[in-house]
Coordinates of all heavy atoms in Angstrom, one line a residue:
G13 N -6.2 12.4 8.2 CA -6.7 13.5 7.4 C -7.0 13.1 6.0 O -7.0 12.0 5.6
S14 N -7.2 14.2 5.1 CA -7.6 13.9 3.7 C -6.3 13.4 3.0 O -5.2 13.4 3.6 CB -7.9 15.3 3.0 OG -6.8 16.1 3.0
R15 N -6.5 12.9 1.8 CA -5.4 12.3 1.1 C -4.3 13.4 0.9 O -3.1 13.1 1.0 CB -5.9 11.8 -0.3 CG -6.7 10.6 -0.2 CD -7.2 10.2 -1.6 NE -8.3 9.2 -1.4 CZ -8.2 7.9 -1.1 NH1 -7.0 7.4 -1.0 NH2 -9.3 7.2 -1.0
R16 N -4.8 14.6 0.6 CA -3.9 15.7 0.5 C -3.1 16.0 1.7 O -1.9 16.2 1.7 CB -4.7 17.0 0.0 CG -3.8 18.2 -0.2 CD -4.7 19.4 -0.3 NE -5.2 19.5 -1.7 CZ -4.9 20.4 -2.5 NH1 -4.1 21.4 -2.2 NH2 -5.4 20.4 -3.7
D17 N -3.8 16.0 2.9 CA -3.1 16.2 4.2 C -2.0 15.2 4.4 O -0.9 15.5 4.9 CB -4.1 16.0 5.4 CG -5.2 17.1 5.5 OD1 -5.0 18.2 4.9 OD2 -6.3 16.8 6.1
C18 N -2.4 13.9 4.1 CA -1.5 12.8 4.3 C -0.2 13.0 3.4 O 0.9 12.8 3.9 CB -2.1 11.5 4.1 SG -3.4 11.1 5.3
A19 N -0.5 13.3 2.2 CA 0.7 13.5 1.3 C 1.5 14.7 1.8 O 2.8 14.6 1.7 CB 0.2 13.8 -0.2
G20 N 0.9 15.7 2.3 CA 1.6 16.9 2.9 C 2.5 16.5 4.0 O 3.6 16.9 4.1
L21 N 1.9 15.7 5.0 CA 2.7 15.2 6.1 C 4.0 14.5 5.7 O 5.1 14.7 6.2 CB 1.9 14.3 7.0 CG 0.8 14.9 7.9 CD1 -0.1 13.8 8.5 CD2 1.4 15.7 9.1
I22 N 3.7 13.6 4.7 CA 4.9 12.8 4.2 C 5.9 13.7 3.5 O 7.1 13.6 3.8 CB 4.4 11.7 3.3 CG1 3.4 10.7 4.1 CG2 5.5 10.9 2.7 CD1 2.6 9.8 3.2
G23 N 5.4 14.5 2.6 CA 6.3 15.4 1.9 C 7.1 16.4 2.8 O 8.2 16.8 2.5
A24 N 6.5 16.7 3.9 CA 7.2 17.6 4.9 C 8.2 16.9 5.7 O 8.8 17.5 6.6 CB 6.1 18.3 5.8
G25 N 8.4 15.6 5.5 CA 9.4 14.8 6.2 C 9.0 14.5 7.7 O 9.8 14.2 8.5
L26 N 7.7 14.5 7.9 CA 7.2 14.2 9.3 C 6.8 12.8 9.5 O 6.4 12.4 10.6 CB 5.9 15.1 9.5 CG 6.2 16.6 9.5 CD1 4.9 17.4 9.6 CD2 7.1 17.0 10.6
V27 N 7.1 11.9 8.5 CA 6.7 10.5 8.7 C 7.9 9.6 8.6 O 8.8 9.8 7.7 CB 5.6 10.1 7.6 CG1 5.2 8.6 7.8 CG2 4.4 11.0 7.7
R28 N 8.1 8.7 9.5 CA 9.2 7.8 9.5 C 8.7 6.3 9.4 O 7.7 6.0 10.0 CB 10.0 7.9 10.8 CG 10.8 9.2 10.9 CD 11.5 9.3 12.2 NE 12.2 10.5 12.3 CZ 13.5 10.7 12.2 NH1 14.3 9.7 11.9 NH2 14.0 11.9 12.2
V29 N 9.4 5.5 8.8 CA 9.2 4.1 8.8 C 10.5 3.4 9.1 O 11.5 3.7 8.5 CB 8.7 3.5 7.4 CG1 8.4 2.0 7.5 CG2 7.4 4.3 7.0
A30 N 10.5 2.5 10.1 CA 11.7 1.8 10.6 C 12.8 2.9 11.0 O 14.0 2.7 10.6 CB 12.2 0.8 9.6
G31 N 12.4 4.0 11.5 CA 13.3 5.0 12.0 C 13.8 6.0 10.9 O 14.5 6.9 11.2
E32 N 13.5 5.7 9.6 CA 14.0 6.5 8.5 C 12.8 7.4 8.0 O 11.7 6.9 7.8 CB 14.4 5.7 7.4 CG 15.5 4.7 7.7 CD 16.9 5.4 7.9 OE1 17.1 6.4 7.3 OE2 17.6 4.9 8.8
V33 N 13.2 8.7 7.8 CA 12.2 9.6 7.1 C 11.8 9.1 5.7 O 12.8 8.7 5.0 CB 12.7 11.0 7.1 CG1 11.8 11.9 6.2 CG2 12.8 11.6 8.4

Side-chain angles (χ1 to χ4, degrees):
S14 65
R15 289 176 198 281
R16 178 191 281 249
D17 294 338
C18 293
L21 283 168
I22 297 165
L26 297 173
V27 180
R28 288 174 185 260
V29 178
E32 301 289 328
V33 170

